[in-house]
Amino acid sequence: MIYLDNAATTMSKPKCVADAVIEAMGALGNEGRGAHEAALNASRVIFEARRRLAQLFHGENPRQIVFTANATESLNIAIKGILKKGDHVITTVSEHNSVLRPLYEMEAKGVELTIIPCDRKGRVRVRDFEGAVRGNTRAIVCTHGSNLTGNLMDLKAVGEIARRRKVLFCVDASQTAGVFPIDVQDMGIDILCFTGHKSLLGPQGTGGMYVREQVAVEPLKTGGSGIFTYERNHPGVMPTALEAGTLNGHGIAGLGAAVSYIQETGMDVIRRRELGLMRRFYDRVKGLPGLKVYGDFDTGERCPIVTVNLKDYDSSWVSDRLFADYGIATRPGAHCAPLLHQALGTVNQGAVRFSFSYSNREDEADRAAEAVKEILEEEESSLA
């Protein structure tokens, strides 16, 4: 199988990730729930993962890294934890449902919502954020990289607007964490939400968030914490404040190993390879008759994603053909990005996404491009 669905999850993980998970399953107790060696081992492994993530994102303190099950949980904690009735929040049409649906819930509870549009290539103008800020604006919530078009947001420019206008800046880094540099200090990011199973190369069921010191986030859940047992309220100290219950220590061990692998390999090395594979595929398909490509390819700064449609063929049919006849795994359909599909005019057809990872090879990109060409040619000849 040629696996080109890495924007959904990276399937090929570094060996050190699996090794770390297996070792953790035989050595870790419950972090913060005892002073014996197994519990202390868990505390050490989990803290080391926090430390590496804080280092990766240039966070000021490992305690500001909170572990969750995925970016969806992180975004729910962030959005529901900083907004209240009467607040105003700004987002974009590029967002995944893990941003949109919590925002719609908050809108139903009295939060005012502004959604910034995009152009025909799915690009959102940074200056539109400035114009959308009101007196009661509490936060800007936006994605770093679109999972549909692959377009990137200029986080530093948006962060400067948020800082100047004194609003919180919350970023969904699901598609970019681990492959694009993210400096929460330099970019003015107050809350960074990420998942472990995509470009961070970690196990599924892992994720987290960075929360800037002095930013108050109401917890989504409360309960066991391992500390302050006799207090009625959940502890307010970070990261415990947002981590009720037992953490996925085994998965976090794998995530920590994955971050170590990225740091040792070099994020720049990983990114250059992924973007090179993406560009190699794009250059071979972009001129094919009947092919529509979505997103901005005039810039080299974009996610390693190429999303296309073949004539008016249903995207699920195309994706099925690619897998059944060529063994190529892609993602069809709506990609949990409903507003962007509306903006691109692909609600009914969906779109076929090819997404590349460090583990892919040049011959796989070439084979995928040839498969797209053959499908187009076969369908054209069948109509002749």
Side-chain angles (χ1 to χ4, degrees):
M1 179 176 64
I2 298 174
Y3 185 80
L4 298 179
D5 194 18
N6 294 285
T9 192
T10 48
M11 187 177 67
S12 180
K13 312 290 184 182
K15 183 177 182 297
C16 62
V17 174
D19 289 345
V21 173
I22 292 170
E23 181 178 352
M25 293 185 76
L28 299 194
N30 199 331
E31 184 231 11
R33 272 72 169 179
H36 51 79
E37 189 64 19
L40 293 175
N41 280 342
S43 296
R44 295 183 189 110
V45 167
I46 289 171
F47 178 81
E48 177 62 14
R50 288 191 211 279
R51 188 191 67 79
R52 288 191 177 278
L53 285 161
Q55 185 180 60
L56 188 72
F57 300 133
H58 300 270
E60 66 271 29
N61 192 322
R63 290 195 301 272
Q64 300 310 115
I65 298 294
V66 173
F67 286 116
T68 66
N70 44 53
T72 297
E73 183 177 5
S74 299
L75 287 160
N76 271 265
I77 292 170
I79 290 168
K80 296 174 182 178
I82 62 175
L83 298 175
K84 63 181 184 301
K85 183 177 180 180
D87 287 340
H88 172 242
V89 61
I90 302 166
T91 193
T92 80
V93 298
S94 299
E95 307 309 314
H96 189 278
N97 271 334
S98 56
V99 170
L100 293 175
R101 285 174 173 162
L103 285 176
Y104 292 151
E105 285 186 51
M106 298 310 293
E107 185 180 32
K109 295 178 180 179
V111 171
E112 300 170 19
L113 175 62
T114 294
I115 300 175
I116 295 176
C118 65
D119 65 13
R120 61 185 180 84
K121 289 188 176 181
R123 297 172 296 195
V124 174
R125 298 183 303 184
V126 169
R127 66 175 180 268
D128 288 347
F129 288 96
E130 182 86 57
V133 176
R134 306 174 187 169
N136 64 332
T137 301
R138 173 64 173 160
I140 294 170
V141 183
C142 74
T143 188
H144 186 192
S146 167
N147 71 318
L148 178 56
T149 64
N151 294 346
L152 288 182
M153 181 67 69
D154 185 344
L155 293 185
K156 187 170 183 179
V158 179
E160 288 173 353
I161 293 170
R163 188 176 294 165
R164 185 171 64 253
R165 301 301 294 271
K166 295 181 170 55
V167 301
L168 295 176
F169 185 29
C170 176
V171 174
D172 174 9
S174 296
Q175 292 297 329
T176 55
V179 70
F180 284 91
I182 298 174
D183 186 329
V184 294
Q185 305 300 323
D186 183 59
M187 294 173 171
I189 298 170
D190 295 295
I191 303 175
L192 180 76
C193 299
F194 58 90
T195 194
H197 69 101
K198 297 188 182 185
S199 293
L200 279 174
L201 304 177
Q204 294 180 3
T206 63
M209 56 197 297
Y210 155 83
V211 181
R212 184 181 298 280
E213 291 181 351
Q214 310 307 318
V215 172
V217 179
E218 287 292 320
L220 187 66
K221 57 186 180 180
T222 59
S225 61
I227 60 173
F228 304 145
T229 294
Y230 296 105
E231 293 189 3
R232 292 171 63 92
N233 296 325
H234 192 78
V237 295
M238 290 288 284
T240 309
L242 303 178
E243 286 184 345
T246 296
L247 294 175
N248 177 11
H250 305 143
I252 291 169
L255 179 58
V259 175
S260 178
Y261 174 87
I262 291 169
Q263 291 172 323
E264 292 172 5
T265 303
M267 189 185 295
D268 291 345
V269 172
I270 292 172
R271 183 172 64 260
R272 282 196 299 268
R273 178 174 179 80
E274 292 185 359
L275 293 180
L277 292 168
M278 176 271 295
R279 186 63 63 171
R280 186 181 181 94
F281 173 77
Y282 171 74
D283 286 343
R284 283 161 172 72
V285 301
K286 64 181 180 181
L288 294 176
L291 187 86
K292 172 69 174 178
V293 183
Y294 303 95
D296 180 13
F297 287 84
D298 295 332
T299 174
E301 285 294 294
R302 55 173 290 106
C303 296
I305 288 170
V306 183
T307 302
V308 304
N309 269 318
L310 281 62
K311 298 187 177 180
D312 60 351
Y313 307 142
D314 181 81
S315 61
S316 294
W317 177 86
V318 173
S319 188
D320 285 346
R321 278 288 312 272
L322 286 166
F323 188 71
D325 295 349
Y326 301 94
I328 299 170
T330 59
R331 168 79 184 272
H335 306 87
C336 302
L339 299 185
L340 192 51
H341 274 285
Q342 290 176 18
L344 298 174
T346 55
V347 170
N348 294 326
Q349 188 177 12
V352 182
R353 184 183 67 194
F354 297 78
S355 51
F356 299 86
S357 182
Y358 186 62
S359 62
N360 289 124
R361 305 185 309 269
E362 290 184 348
D363 65 295
E364 293 178 328
D366 294 346
R367 186 68 186 113
E370 185 62 28
V372 170
K373 180 181 178 182
E374 287 180 9
I375 291 172
L376 282 167
E377 290 175 346
E378 288 174 13
E379 293 304 313
E380 185 68 26
S381 63
S382 68
L383 297 173

